[in-house]
């Protein structure tokens, strides 16, 4: 009901003025005869204006006759009147029909492809393979066999376990479920080999899951030495070569040496930023320099590079932050505190990036006085997994 | 046994007493709406007037427009006559059941 009335209103609305002695009766009769009128405005006594749909305008004739009111049209709005006004201008009709035709035509093509659900498979790779499978931007939706495309995509990309295509207007949404990848630890090696220690240290845990342990807990192992041998020995049968697997954890010692000076030059930024532009041609930078030479600046570059007939053109924006150099004098306690914080950060980074399941066991800083400062040597022990499967007998 | 019978009233008698208690309620429709806890304007033919500040009035359940001027509208409602005084009064919407009046409203008066 609401939608149809809205469509009817779009088609045409007329503002009608009635003149007569019985305008109230006119309005009441409109209501009784189911003629929908709105925005009723009393101009002066005896003259009322209101809006009405063009489809119901004819019904007013009967009511006007009954109430002896004079009906005049004051305003016309809507598509019907617009088309009527320009009925002799054929070019407009041709243009409108062309616009409608092309919008219908172009809506049958795929203009956007979205890939969902991929984590380790590259989106560009999927789109490239989709193109090979028969689905690309600019492809007509009519006659597109989704099943065929999905099957072709699955054969082309091995890591996809399931794929589905959902077409939403002119957008194609490719939903993907990737194959679960086993992590390196859980993959069973089929080849014969040993578990070799990657770092030196004292063994804290050695558990051979497959093969024979060569060391005992508490013994020192050198880097590159076999920890778990890929051979199973038995009293009754000959030794069998297997693929060694197991846990080999050792306590590795690390050392960090750093010097800190009592006096240091520090940059103090002045909160003054200057911006300048420049052009780079084949990595040669040309900056529009208007900086004060007596002052010091920290320059950050934002660049957009384009390749033009073999020339590399880059448009650069430079952000120059002004700073002053200040001499800072620190006490020994302050330097020790800085050293402690830096050592903590270093250890955390070391555990995060260079160890497997690393746990810090011991941390001991040693401070020695040097000229104009101190030297801090931090020794720390990390308990970590060092065993790595290496193929070979 | 007799005391028990005297103490416990039958359920339909209790309802009847409750309905009697509300002496203002006269018609059966009103009694039913009161019993079922329904809004009275839904059951009986009554008029509901809703006002939004001094710019908009919604009258539900009206019969006809009696007088319509720029500054005065008289409406015959179901049980009463409603007179709206104001300035630049427009009938924004009119349907079978409800009427929306817009403009600067000074007062709403009614007469039974």
């Amino acid at each position: 009901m609401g939608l149809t009335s809205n469509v009817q209103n779009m088609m045409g609305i007329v503002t009608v003025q009635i003149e007569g002695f019985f305008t109230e009766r006119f309005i009441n009769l409109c209501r009784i005869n189911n003629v929908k009128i709105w925005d009723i405005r009393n101009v002066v006594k005896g003259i009322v204006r209101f809006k009405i749909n063009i489809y119901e305008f004819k019904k007013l004739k009967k009511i006007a006759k009954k109430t002896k009111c004079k009906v005049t049209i004051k305003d016309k709005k809507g598509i019907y009147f617009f088309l009527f006004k320009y009925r002799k201008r054929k070019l407009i009709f041709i243009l409108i029909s062309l616009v409608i035709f092309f919008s219908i035509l172009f809506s049958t093509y795929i203009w956007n492809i979205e890939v969902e659900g991929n984590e380790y498979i590259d989106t560009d790779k999927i789109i490239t393979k989709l193109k090979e499978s028969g689905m690309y931007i600019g492809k007509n939706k009519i006659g597109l066999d989704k099943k065929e495309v999905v099957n072709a995509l699955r054969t082309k990309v091995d890591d996809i376990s399931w794929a589905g295509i959902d077409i939403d207007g002119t957008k194609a949404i490719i939903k993907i479920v990737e194959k679960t990848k086993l992590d390196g630890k859980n993959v069973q090696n089929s080849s014969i080999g040993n578990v070799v220690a990657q770092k030196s240290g004292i063994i804290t845990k050695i558990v051979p899951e497959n093969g024979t342990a060569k060391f005992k807990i508490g013994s020192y192992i050198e880097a590159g030495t076999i920890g778990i041998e890929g051979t199973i020995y038995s009293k009754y049968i000959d030794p069998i070569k297997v693929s060694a697997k197991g846990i080999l954890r050792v306590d590795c010692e690390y050392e960090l040496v750093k010097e800190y000076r009592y006096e240091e030059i520090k940059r103090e930024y002045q909160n003054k930023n200057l911006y300048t532009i420049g052009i780079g041609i084949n990595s040669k930078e040309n900056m529009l320099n208007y900086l004060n030479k007596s002052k010091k600046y920290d320059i950050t570059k934002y660049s957009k590079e384009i390749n033009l007939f073999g020339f590399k053109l880059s448009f650069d924006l430079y952000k120059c932050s002004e700073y002053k150099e200040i001499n800072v004098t620190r006490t020994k306690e302050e330097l020790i505190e800085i050293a402690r914080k830096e050592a903590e950060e270093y250890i955390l980074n070391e555990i995060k990036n260079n160890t497997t399941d690393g746990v810090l066991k011991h941390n001991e800083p040693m401070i020695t006085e040097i000229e104009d400062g101190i030297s801090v040597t931090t020794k720390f022990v990390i308990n970590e997994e060092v065993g790595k499967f290496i193929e070979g007998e | 046994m007799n005391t028990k019978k005297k103490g416990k009233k039958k359920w339909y008698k209790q309802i009847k007493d409750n309905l009697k208690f509300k002496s203002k309620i006269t018609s059966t429709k009103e009694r039913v709406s009161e019993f079922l806890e329904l809004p009275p304007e839904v059951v009986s033919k009554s008029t509901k007037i809703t006002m939004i500040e001094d710019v908009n009035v919604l009258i539900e359940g009206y019969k006809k427009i009696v007088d319509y001027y720029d500054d005065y509208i008289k409406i015959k409602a179901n049980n009463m006559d409603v007179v709206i005084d104001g300035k630049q009064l427009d009938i924004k919407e009119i349907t079978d059941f409800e009427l929306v009046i817009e403009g600067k409203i000074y007062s709403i008066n009614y007469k039974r």
Side-chain angles (χ1 to χ4, degrees):
Chain A
M1 179 73 183
L3 188 70
T4 46
S5 71
N6 279 341
V7 172
Q8 280 181 352
N9 287 350
M10 269 172 69
M11 286 308 290
I13 294 167
V14 193
T15 308
V16 177
Q17 181 173 296
I18 49 163
E19 286 178 56
F21 289 107
F22 311 108
T23 47
E24 291 91 355
R25 203 180 159 215
F26 190 98
I27 296 163
N28 290 328
L29 279 171
C30 281
R31 185 174 71 93
I32 291 158
N33 291 315
N34 279 332
V35 179
K36 199 194 167 193
I37 57 172
W38 67 95
D39 282 354
I40 305 160
R41 179 165 291 177
N42 200 335
V43 184
V44 282
K45 177 62 193 162
I47 299 174
V48 173
R49 272 185 200 176
F50 57 84
K51 283 177 181 170
I52 187 170
N53 201 299
I54 49 163
Y55 294 100
E56 291 178 333
F57 182 72
K58 278 186 179 177
K59 290 179 188 174
L60 292 184
K61 200 182 169 185
K62 203 176 149 188
I63 301 164
K65 210 177 174 183
K66 231 180 207 179
T67 52
K68 290 172 187 171
C69 285
K70 191 186 164 192
V71 178
T72 43
I73 294 168
K74 285 286 162 190
D75 192 21
K76 298 167 188 173
K77 270 178 191 171
I79 298 166
Y80 178 82
F81 298 112
F82 176 81
L83 293 176
F84 188 77
K85 192 178 173 184
Y86 296 106
R87 68 190 181 281
K88 281 179 184 170
R89 301 190 180 188
K90 282 160 194 162
L91 200 68
I92 286 178
F93 285 100
I94 293 165
L95 274 171
I96 291 168
S97 46
L98 274 174
V99 166
I100 294 164
F101 172 74
F102 278 110
S103 29
I104 293 166
L105 181 77
F106 288 131
S107 65
T108 59
Y109 288 88
I110 292 165
W111 294 116
N112 189 15
I113 297 174
E114 257 181 34
V115 184
E116 284 178 5
N118 58 323
E119 278 179 11
Y120 64 86
I121 308 172
D122 192 30
T123 310
D124 292 339
K125 186 188 170 186
I126 294 165
I127 289 169
T128 318
K129 296 293 174 191
L130 260 175
K131 196 176 178 181
E132 288 169 18
S133 313
M135 192 184 203
Y136 46 87
I137 292 170
K139 169 84 183 166
N140 201 320
K141 288 189 290 186
I142 301 161
L144 179 79
D145 193 350
K146 288 187 208 172
K147 266 190 181 176
E148 208 173 275
V149 174
V150 164
N151 289 338
L153 181 70
R154 281 180 63 188
T155 49
K156 283 188 170 84
V157 186
D158 291 334
D159 292 334
I160 295 172
S161 66
W162 178 87
I165 297 171
D166 198 4
I167 291 172
D168 182 15
T170 57
K171 185 167 79 175
I173 302 162
I174 318 297
K175 288 172 184 170
I176 277 169
V177 178
E178 292 169 337
K179 281 181 184 168
T180 317
K181 272 195 170 178
L182 287 169
D183 57 347
K185 276 182 182 178
N186 297 328
V187 176
Q188 183 69 47
N189 286 312
S190 55
S191 51
I192 292 160
N194 310 303
V195 172
V196 179
Q198 297 298 301
K199 288 176 187 174
S200 310
I202 297 158
I203 296 169
T204 56
K205 192 177 185 182
I206 183 160
V207 183
E209 288 171 16
N210 202 12
T212 314
K214 295 282 278 180
F215 290 87
K216 282 181 180 175
I217 292 169
S219 50
Y220 184 81
I221 188 168
E222 279 281 343
T225 322
I226 296 167
I228 299 166
E229 197 186 351
T231 317
I232 294 171
Y233 298 96
S234 172
K235 284 180 186 176
Y236 310 105
I237 51 167
D238 291 336
I240 308 160
K241 293 281 178 193
V242 290
S243 167
K245 196 185 171 192
I247 301 162
L248 178 61
R249 287 188 80 91
V250 297
D251 281 347
C252 295
E253 274 189 16
Y254 295 86
E255 195 178 75
L256 172 72
V257 184
K258 209 172 174 186
E259 289 178 357
Y260 298 90
R261 308 279 166 198
Y262 291 123
E263 283 190 0
E264 197 189 355
I265 295 164
K266 204 183 169 186
R267 285 180 180 183
E268 194 183 76
Y269 287 93
Q270 302 295 306
N271 284 333
K272 282 180 190 171
N273 293 325
L274 292 171
Y275 291 92
T276 180
I277 51 165
I279 294 173
I281 304 164
N282 279 348
S283 311
K284 197 180 174 187
E285 290 177 12
N286 301 296
M287 189 177 89
L288 185 69
N289 195 345
Y290 63 92
L291 303 173
N292 192 340
K293 283 180 183 173
S294 61
K295 288 174 181 172
K296 289 183 177 179
Y297 295 94
D298 194 357
I299 299 169
T300 323
K301 183 179 149 190
Y302 305 97
S303 184
K304 179 80 184 167
E305 199 174 271
I306 55 163
N307 202 331
L308 199 73
F309 308 114
F311 284 97
K312 278 183 182 175
L313 265 177
S314 68
F315 299 96
D316 310 322
L317 176 74
Y318 296 91
K319 184 187 174 187
C320 310
S321 312
E322 194 187 319
Y323 68 87
K324 273 183 186 174
E325 283 185 346
I326 299 166
N327 270 334
V328 181
T329 313
R330 290 195 179 96
T331 59
K332 193 182 173 182
E333 284 73 27
E334 281 174 344
L335 286 183
I336 291 167
E337 185 59 28
I338 292 165
R340 192 184 61 77
K341 278 181 184 168
E342 277 188 13
E344 270 177 12
E345 258 177 43
Y346 176 79
I347 292 163
L348 279 174
N349 289 335
E350 184 72 17
I351 292 170
K352 206 176 177 184
N353 302 327
N354 300 330
T355 65
T356 318
D357 300 337
V359 181
L360 180 69
K361 282 187 84 174
H362 189 59
N363 175 17
E364 190 189 336
M366 274 174 65
I367 299 148
T368 45
E369 292 271 353
I370 55 163
E371 196 184 342
D372 304 334
I374 54 165
S375 169
V376 182
T377 310
T378 315
K379 281 184 180 176
F380 53 97
V381 178
I382 293 174
N383 184 258
E384 60 184 288
E385 169 76 44
V386 293
K388 193 186 174 187
F389 177 79
I390 287 171
E391 216 174 302
E393 288 185 13
Chain B
M1 281 297 277
N2 288 330
T3 49
K4 265 188 184 179
K5 268 187 181 177
K6 275 181 185 176
K8 271 193 177 181
K9 271 187 182 177
K10 285 194 174 176
W11 62 272
Y12 54 86
K13 277 184 180 174
Q14 276 181 357
I15 292 164
K16 204 180 165 185
D17 290 350
N18 282 340
L19 288 173
K20 269 183 186 172
F21 178 71
K22 286 163 187 173
S23 56
K24 282 181 186 176
I25 301 164
T26 49
S27 72
T28 330
K29 271 185 181 179
E30 279 176 359
R31 281 186 186 194
V32 171
S33 75
E34 184 66 25
F35 180 67
L36 297 171
E37 292 180 1
L38 288 168
E41 71 264 19
V42 177
V43 183
S44 62
K45 274 190 177 179
S46 57
T47 309
K48 185 180 176 185
I49 300 170
T50 317
M51 192 172 174
I52 303 164
E53 289 202 344
D54 60 344
V55 287
N56 203 311
V57 179
L58 166 71
I59 301 165
E60 288 170 70
Y62 77 102
K63 275 184 180 169
K64 64 176 185 180
I65 301 162
V66 181
D67 279 327
Y68 178 36
Y69 297 92
D70 188 26
D71 52 354
Y72 164 86
I73 298 174
K74 190 176 177 185
I75 293 151
K76 191 173 168 60
N78 285 325
N79 304 323
M80 56 190 170
D81 286 351
V82 182
V83 176
I84 298 163
D85 280 315
K87 205 172 116 187
Q88 292 172 345
L89 298 174
D90 297 343
I91 300 170
K92 198 72 191 164
E93 234 177 274
I94 180 165
T95 62
D96 281 353
F97 186 69
E98 62 189 35
L99 185 76
V100 181
I101 295 163
E102 236 182 43
K104 182 82 182 162
I105 294 153
Y106 297 146
S107 68
I108 299 172
N109 303 309
Y110 68 92
K111 192 184 173 187
R112 274 192 181 266

